[in-house]
Each structure stands twice: as C-alpha cells, then as structure tokens.
Amino acid sequence: MAAPAVEGAAVTALRAVLHRVRRAAERSGRSAGDVRVVAVGKTKPVSLINQVYDAGHRCFGENYVQEIVEKAPQLPEDIAWHFIGHLQSNKVKTLLTAVPNLDMVEGVDNEKLANHLDRAVSNIGRQPLKVLVQVNTSGEASKSGINPSDCVDLVKHVKLGCPNLEFSGLMTIGMPDYTSTPENFKTLLDCRAKVCEVLGMAESQCELSMGMSGDFEQAIEIGSTNVRIGSTIFGPREYPKKK
C-alpha cells in the first residue's frame, strides 16, 4: 500500500516538538540526544499512536493502568513504555504482566509501592525495572509525590532495598499555574543535588523528568532530561461525554 501523501497531524506535531526540544537543549548547552521525549497518548486510539510510531518515535507513555494494558499488546514490542503518575500498589502485577516492554515507572512516591514493584519484577522474572521517584514540588495536596524533605530516604530505600528496581532519577508534575513552574523545577534540582551528595552519585546518573506540553522548553532549559508531551502531539484529551 502506498504511504499517504499527507502526513497525519500528530506526526507533523511530533516533528515540531522535536525541533523545539532541540533548540531548548542547545540553549542549555546540551544536545537533543540528552532529552527524552515521552509521547503520552492518554485517551487517544492505538491507530494514532501507530502513526507516531511509524514516523520513527519509540518512547510512549500512559497515565492509567487500564489504558496501557489495553493498548500496549496491540502495538509493536519495541516501544519503550513509561507509566506516568500515581500507581496503586494493587495494580502493579496487572501492569507488569500485561506490559513486558514497560521501560520505566514515573514515579514511585512511597516505600510500599516500591516494595510491590520490586516483588512483582522478581516474581515475573523480567529485567530490573527503571523507576523515578516522584516528588511533590508544588505542595498541592491534590498532587501525588513525596515531600522534598523525604526524598533522600525514599531514594535510599529504592536504591539499597529494592534489588529488582533501578533508581533512574526524579520526577515532578509541577503546577497548572504556569507562572510558578520554575520554582517547582528548581526544587527538583535541589532534591537531585541532595540525593547525589548523600548517595555518592554523579548528577548525570540521576534523571530529571519535568516538563509537559505547556512548559517543556522551560523545563529543558533548567535541566530536564525527560519531557512528557501529550496534547501538543496528539491534540486535546478526549474524555467520554457524561450522559
């Protein structure tokens, strides 16, 4: 079958995002290869994700266990899936069993969840799972994440007490109010500095996942290594209309 002459809107949008990522990385003295773009397909159909995959993108994310376990088996196995946001301990086994190509969980915000993930990885017998510790940098009660002051202890637990998890860095969701975002991002940078000092790690070994559609360029300029882009690539979320 001949390729369609007009590329889909999502592919055009992806190219524009990658261009903006490269420019922001250069402004922070880095290259585009230093920043991972996670294309988040929340509420979007498998067919749309496939278009972006066919354009060469391989890293995708979802926010809900139900969606990722439904979509991942219908999509190519070489996708590196990220689960993003609050994960309930009782959904861990379902997630890991259904998505063998789960690359990373963003993020772990308590020891109980870390222990559940560690055991599930061991029981399934898959390779160690990369995890980011989620920090609540905005102080909003509605946001998941550990308090910045407890961040080092949770990282220690993951790194030293969970042999089947690979501590890969920190993540934050920031605030919907765009103006205060730099403070949230800087809080995460401070957390990384403390974690690396206490655990004797190089900062380059500790990723920073921060920045979404509205603020990813700013996040990259401040030092983000992982941005999570949904609506700017795939268009606005489509929730079922309430009857």
Side-chain angles (χ1 to χ4, degrees):
M1 224 169 74
V6 181
E7 72 178 17
V11 174
T12 306
L14 171 74
R15 294 191 205 286
V17 163
L18 294 175
H19 177 70
R20 289 167 64 190
V21 165
R22 188 173 75 243
R23 305 250 328 245
E26 285 164 359
R27 287 196 293 274
S28 70
R30 296 181 296 156
S31 69
D34 296 326
V35 183
R36 183 190 303 106
V37 174
V38 185
V40 185
K42 187 161 79 170
T43 77
K44 299 299 177 181
V46 163
S47 57
L48 198 56
I49 294 170
N50 244 328
Q51 282 180 27
V52 174
Y53 174 90
D54 287 341
H57 202 69
R58 292 294 176 269
C59 187
F60 292 87
E62 289 291 344
N63 297 83
Y64 297 111
V65 171
Q66 193 183 339
E67 266 197 89
I68 194 170
V69 303
E70 210 173 278
K71 290 176 181 177
Q74 301 179 58
L75 286 155
E77 287 173 11
D78 64 337
I79 285 178
W81 284 103
H82 285 219
F83 181 83
I84 299 161
H86 181 63
L87 175 60
Q88 292 166 290
S89 295
N90 62 356
K91 302 251 176 89
V92 162
K93 191 180 170 192
T94 306
L95 173 65
L96 265 63
T97 308
V99 191
N101 49 335
L102 183 68
D103 188 54
M104 187 180 275
V105 169
E106 307 186 34
V108 171
D109 61 359
N110 62 76
E111 288 190 5
K112 179 185 168 193
L113 175 57
N115 295 339
H116 272 270
L117 282 164
D118 186 57
R119 275 199 301 275
V121 171
S122 173
N123 292 341
I124 289 168
R126 57 156 283 162
Q127 77 272 27
L129 177 67
K130 294 194 281 243
V131 298
L132 302 181
V133 163
Q134 184 172 353
V135 183
N136 183 340
T137 56
S138 63
E140 286 180 274
S142 63
K143 287 266 160 66
S144 304
I146 195 155
N147 192 303
S149 59
D150 299 322
C151 177
V152 170
D153 287 340
L154 181 55
V155 171
K156 258 189 199 164
H157 178 76
V158 171
K159 217 168 153 46
L160 307 175
C162 299
N164 301 290
L165 303 182
E166 187 184 317
F167 169 71
S168 298
L170 306 174
M171 75 87 79
T172 190
I173 291 181
M175 284 174 87
D177 171 8
Y178 179 66
T179 52
S180 65
T181 320
E183 284 69 50
N184 302 146
F185 294 159
K186 291 191 173 89
T187 300
L188 201 66
L189 257 74
D190 293 344
C191 287
R192 177 172 71 175
K194 283 196 199 85
V195 162
C196 290
E197 184 188 356
V198 172
L199 289 163
M201 294 171 68
E203 290 202 349
S204 59
Q205 299 301 301
C206 185
E207 290 212 34
L208 292 178
S209 173
M210 55 189 197
M212 301 195 290
S213 284
D215 55 20
F216 69 90
E217 287 155 305
Q218 193 175 24
I220 291 167
E221 287 170 23
I222 293 174
S224 177
T225 63
N226 187 86
V227 292
R228 310 172 305 262
I229 317 280
S231 52
T232 301
I233 295 172
F234 292 110
R237 309 274 186 242
E238 293 162 20
Y239 295 105
K241 293 193 169 53
K242 291 191 169 64
K243 297 215 163 96

